[in-house]
């Protein structure tokens, strides 16, 4: 992985903590909107981590793949990732 590993790991750990908090809120039968807000916060941090990984992939692997005359599998991988993100 070419992304800033420490940064991404920190974000993933934060998201895991948020999910644990959501589970606790559910067990405590907390207010639905509060639970939903925590879920949205978790989604946001995961999106941020994913964006970091995709940017690093494009800057590293895809850029490297563009320097060859071979069919570009890395470019196709990046396009497939974009398709998944937009569905």
């Amino acid at each position: 992985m070419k992304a800033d590993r420490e940064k991404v790991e920190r974000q993933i750990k934060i998201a895991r903590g948020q999910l644990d908090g959501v589970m606790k809120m559910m067990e405590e039968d907390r207010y639905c909107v509060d639970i939903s807000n925590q879920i949205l916060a978790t989604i946001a941090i995961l999106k941020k981590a994913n964006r970091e990984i995709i940017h690093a992939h494009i800057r590293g692997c895809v850029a490297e793949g563009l320097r060859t005359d071979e069919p570009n599998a890395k470019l196709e991988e990046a396009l497939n990732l974009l398709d998944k993100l937009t569905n």
Side-chain angles (χ1 to χ4, degrees), residues 57-82:
H57 177 68
I58 291 170
R59 287 186 182 113
C61 299
V62 174
E64 187 178 304
L66 290 173
R67 292 186 203 113
T68 69
D69 292 331
E70 299 297 315
N72 197 327
K74 297 297 181 186
L75 180 59
E76 291 305 314
E77 286 176 348
L79 292 172
N80 287 333
L81 278 172
L82 288 175

Side-chain angles (χ1 to χ4, degrees), residues 7-19 38-54 85:
K7 181 178 180 180
V8 172
E9 283 180 355
R10 185 172 53 254
Q11 291 168 331
I12 297 298
K13 287 177 183 179
I14 290 169
R16 181 173 50 195
Q18 288 174 319
L19 282 174
Q38 286 303 307
I39 291 170
L40 291 172
T42 305
I43 291 168
I45 195 79
L46 289 172
K47 283 183 176 182
K48 192 173 179 181
N50 195 38
R51 185 170 39 252
E52 175 72 25
I53 291 168
I54 291 170
L85 289 171

